[in-house]
Amino acid sequence: EEQLLESGGGLVQPGGSLRLSCEASGFIFSSYEMNWVRQAPGKGLQWVAALDPSGHVPHYADSVKGRFTISRDNPKNTLYLQMKSLSAEDTAVYYCAKDRPRRTELWGQGTLVTVSS
Amino acid sequence: ENVLTQSPATLSLSPGEGATLSCRASQSVTTSLAWYQQRRGQAPRLLIYDASIRATGVPARFSGSGSGTDFTLTISSLEPDDFAVYYCQQRGSWPLTFGQGTRLEIK
């Protein structure tokens, strides 16, 4: 069974940093583009970042560009999101997601990031 | 960025009725549009991609149509599990964007 398991969320102070991880299983991780999508409490979905299978071509939402870095370790079947200069507006559940061409077909259950003093 | 506008924001219907949800893009995406369902407390689930192709396991009562800037998700006969929030997402250009969602609630 294909699965994505996020970890690394928690409470962080404004201006702080956090690294999220997403462990994939049940499919050939190195063959797929991967994404991070977030959802602030009570709000809609917001795409955050995507990374191609090789790990060399990232894309970012304007709201996180320069502050967040998406990366992957294919031998470890793991996707990462390094977040810095966090603010209250970054408070959200962060979902890891697996893409196929022109769609996101598998989502993890999410990890909650709370930015607060 | 390509802004997606969904309407209505909330749709109140009864089980057995049909539902029509709209998604309009500020720039053409040809047919690179997907629809997702999110039930309360759950992760999103892919329903439709390439505007009209049902994802694996999605019931036939869900259908998508449209191209360019105007898209529609139709649910032919609502079942209790269909009451959820629905999002469209454009896949035509970076950054990827979602609509703000349509909440389908029981009348």
Side-chain angles (χ1 to χ4, degrees):
Chain A
E1 180 189 2
E2 298 186 357
Q3 284 191 328
L4 297 170
L5 184 62
E6 302 95 336
S7 61
L11 177 64
V12 59
Q13 292 192 335
S17 299
L18 205 60
R19 188 177 84 157
L20 306 182
S21 299
C22 169
E23 185 173 348
S25 59
F27 63 96
I28 303 173
F29 179 73
S30 60
S31 295
Y32 295 93
E33 181 169 279
M34 298 294 294
N35 286 250
W36 288 99
V37 176
R38 69 184 180 182
Q39 187 168 36
K43 303 297 184 182
L45 301 173
Q46 182 187 22
W47 174 79
V48 172
L51 187 61
D52 75 309
S54 73
H56 297 315
V57 184
H59 296 277
Y60 297 98
D62 289 346
S63 58
V64 307
K65 201 173 293 185
R67 299 188 301 122
F68 289 14
T69 301
I70 187 172
S71 62
R72 63 195 296 161
D73 186 331
N74 283 343
K76 292 185 177 179
N77 294 330
T78 303
L79 180 73
Y80 301 101
L81 186 67
Q82 178 69 50
M83 306 183 292
K84 66 179 183 179
S85 303
L86 288 163
S87 70
E89 287 68 39
D90 298 313
T91 293
V93 172
Y94 284 73
Y95 293 102
C96 168
K98 170 199 174 196
D99 265 18
R100 295 195 73 168
R102 302 178 304 284
R103 74 262 201 193
T104 297
E105 69 167 9
L106 179 69
W107 301 69
Q109 284 306 301
T111 186
L112 176 62
V113 173
T114 303
V115 184
S116 175
S117 54
Chain B
E1 105 178 10
N2 199 340
V3 177
L4 301 185
T5 302
Q6 292 186 241
S7 61
T10 304
L11 189 55
S12 299
L13 295 169
S14 301
E17 290 191 294
T20 301
L21 287 67
S22 175
C23 176
R24 175 165 289 178
S26 61
Q27 306 165 38
S28 176
V29 300
T30 59
T31 56
S32 294
L33 189 106
W35 289 93
Y36 302 88
Q37 175 194 65
Q38 187 177 34
R39 297 183 177 123
R40 186 179 299 274
Q42 295 187 13
R45 167 198 178 197
L46 174 67
L47 294 177
I48 300 285
Y49 65 97
D50 285 350
S52 62
I53 300 176
R54 272 191 306 277
T56 302
V58 174
R61 64 180 182 275
F62 291 91
S63 63
S65 63
S67 65
T69 61
D70 290 297
F71 300 87
T72 300
L73 175 69
T74 302
I75 311 172
S76 59
S77 178
L78 289 165
E79 296 197 1
D81 276 350
D82 298 339
F83 291 92
V85 181
Y86 293 83
Y87 296 94
C88 57
Q89 183 196 35
Q90 67 83 17
R91 310 284 305 203
S93 62
W94 302 103
L96 305 184
T97 48
F98 287 94
Q100 82 280 15
T102 290
R103 178 177 303 277
L104 183 52
E105 64 177 27
I106 299 177
K107 188 174 181 179

